[in-house]
Amino acid sequence: MSGTDVLIVGAGVIGCALADRLTLAGASVRVCERGGVASATTAHGEGNVLVSDKAPGPELDLIRLSLRLWPETLDRIAERLPQDAAAVDWDRKGGIVVATTPEGADALSEFADGQRAAGVHCETMDSDGLAAAEPALTRDVRAAVYYPDDAQVQPVGAATAFLAAAVAAGAALETRCAVTGPIVRDGRLIGVHTTRGPRTATTVINAAGPWSGALSRLLGAPIAVAPRRGDVLVTAPLPPTVFHKVYDADYVGAVGSSAAALQSSAVVESTPAGPLLLGSTRRRCGFDDRLRPDSLSAIARKAIRLYPCLADAAIMRAYGGFRPYTDDHLPILGPDPRLPGLWHATGHEGGGVGLSTATAHLLTAALTDQPPILDIAPFTPARPAVLVRQQARA
């Protein structure tokens, strides 16, 4: 039987960031992943680190902390593992949110005013400034707001850099290692049974992303996390066309919606290799992994609305993935109130990559009794939107 201080279940970007920060704090860490490293949700994301889509409140506070931590974390990793840090492709290119209707312009202006009051740096753009920043963007724009702090990373590169730093510091990694049940002693979770045998730990962290609801049920402390699917179109490599992350103001409403039906909005951004990533959709459909024509056509139609030149762009591929969704749209961070020894780090939906550094910092501080930079209480697993009654089988 193998014992450790902290057993992290899940090697997506959240689990990998936790492994990095916990080993830095001196913990003995083991990561168990049922598949491959960063092979699920993390591999199917766009790598966004966004302040522009978050209203004043706990999640905005969390992303602002993450934006502070990202550069210093990458600088630390680069000292020992420069190639891994470089593969993250950190790009603070800024974001531009546009509105193409009068109603959208009013909503965007109000949203930006609220963010400014909370200390977010954002600037209203006039038509000349917008044309200079994004020459190929439609001129049929009623309002635009620039967010200089919005950034992008290569999500798999980020997760593997975090994990490489953790392993270099002594963390253990087991892939193809699925959890099959809990190990409980005197009412406390002291480990898990896996397909590779029992693994004991002082603390088990559920970082299984969209599958964390199923894992929590398996461990006997269910939380309300469900998969929410999103799809992305990838163009063939293009000459420089898009210079920021650009999206329609409808995106904020789609992120905040709790509807199960298809939600779509225009999101267009470049990558260092030349292809454009086109999104974005959200749909509650369980773990149905089929690509659906209505989703892909909505993405294409709305992207062309923002960038008419994309009507002639070739689509190289399409992909979709599942985000860990909670009804109140906040991550779940901290100890489970029903099962000592179990902690959760999940529920970030589409923001996991961006929020990973702050998530790792806050949980590490809590686990090692260090003063936190930010109050973790708003993300507690004990809140009504998250906690599921023991007898529930959802």
Side-chain angles (χ1 to χ4, degrees):
M1 182 174 287
S2 174
T4 190
D5 288 343
V6 182
L7 174 65
I8 300 168
V9 181
V13 71
I14 296 294
C16 292
L18 281 164
D20 170 48
R21 181 62 67 165
L22 283 163
T23 54
L24 184 67
S28 171
V29 174
R30 179 179 297 273
V31 180
C32 289
E33 164 59 49
R34 69 174 188 172
V37 173
S39 60
T41 296
T42 299
H44 295 88
E46 296 175 64
N48 293 323
V49 185
L50 300 183
V51 67
S52 57
D53 64 343
K54 295 171 180 63
E59 193 178 27
L60 178 61
D61 297 337
L62 196 63
I63 190 60
R64 294 180 71 188
L65 174 58
S66 257
L67 280 165
R68 287 169 49 195
L69 292 171
W70 265 104
E72 65 183 59
T73 300
L74 294 178
D75 287 346
R76 170 175 53 81
I77 293 173
E79 290 177 3
R80 188 170 185 180
L81 303 166
Q83 290 184 324
D84 292 280
V88 176
D89 283 340
W90 170 257
D91 184 5
R92 204 162 192 161
K93 60 186 175 184
I96 298 176
V97 186
V98 300
T100 56
T101 65
E103 297 80 10
D106 290 342
L108 175 57
S109 178
E110 182 179 356
F111 187 81
D113 286 345
Q115 288 183 304
R116 287 190 193 96
V120 172
H121 183 195
C122 57
E123 306 165 6
T124 300
M125 305 182 76
D126 60 23
S127 56
D128 290 340
L130 184 60
E134 291 292 334
L137 182 69
T138 177
R139 301 279 73 87
D140 187 16
V141 170
R142 299 301 184 96
V145 179
Y146 171 55
Y147 290 84
D149 291 332
D150 276 3
Q152 184 183 19
V153 298
Q154 208 296 325
V156 174
T160 54
F162 292 148
L163 188 59
V167 170
L173 168 67
E174 292 183 293
T175 56
R176 316 293 179 218
C177 181
V179 174
T180 59
I183 303 174
V184 178
R185 179 183 299 163
D186 298 326
R188 181 181 181 87
L189 183 68
I190 63 165
V192 294
H193 294 289
T194 79
T195 50
R196 292 193 168 195
R199 299 290 183 263
T200 60
T202 303
T203 301
V204 176
I205 301 180
N206 172 10
W211 296 269
S212 55
L215 176 63
S216 69
R217 292 192 295 272
L218 182 65
L219 297 179
I223 56 174
V225 177
R228 200 181 194 196
R229 182 173 174 83
D231 296 315
V232 175
L233 292 175
V234 185
T235 73
L238 296 173
T241 305
V242 181
F243 302 93
H244 303 79
K245 179 183 179 70
V246 180
Y247 63 87
D248 192 284
D250 288 346
Y251 176 81
V252 175
V255 171
S257 170
S258 297
L262 176 67
Q263 307 287 308
S264 65
S265 55
V267 180
V268 182
E269 63 187 314
S270 60
T271 65
L276 299 182
L277 303 181
L278 311 179
S280 142
T281 63
R282 281 167 165 77
R283 189 196 315 251
R284 299 276 297 279
C285 59
F287 286 104
D288 184 345
D289 62 358
R290 293 174 295 173
L291 286 170
R292 301 191 186 193
D294 63 336
S295 176
L296 302 183
S297 63
I299 291 172
R301 183 174 63 254
K302 293 190 174 186
I304 292 170
R305 174 76 177 85
L306 286 189
Y307 284 87
C309 63
L310 295 182
D312 298 322
I315 296 299
M316 185 167 60
R317 66 188 181 99
Y319 65 86
F322 302 105
R323 308 175 178 103
Y325 167 86
T326 62
D327 281 339
D328 62 2
H329 306 286
L330 288 177
I332 306 168
L333 310 177
D336 192 286
R338 301 155 298 181
L339 184 58
L342 174 63
W343 287 54
H344 301 286
T346 185
H348 300 77
E349 204 186 327
V353 173
L355 297 169
S356 59
T357 52
T359 293
H361 177 89
L362 291 184
L363 280 183
T364 299
L367 282 163
T368 57
D369 296 321
Q370 298 299 311
I373 295 177
L374 192 67
D375 184 12
I376 200 172
F379 310 106
T380 176
R383 64 189 195 264
V386 170
L387 213 59
V388 178
R389 295 168 63 94
Q390 289 292 97
Q391 66 266 33
R393 290 292 183 266

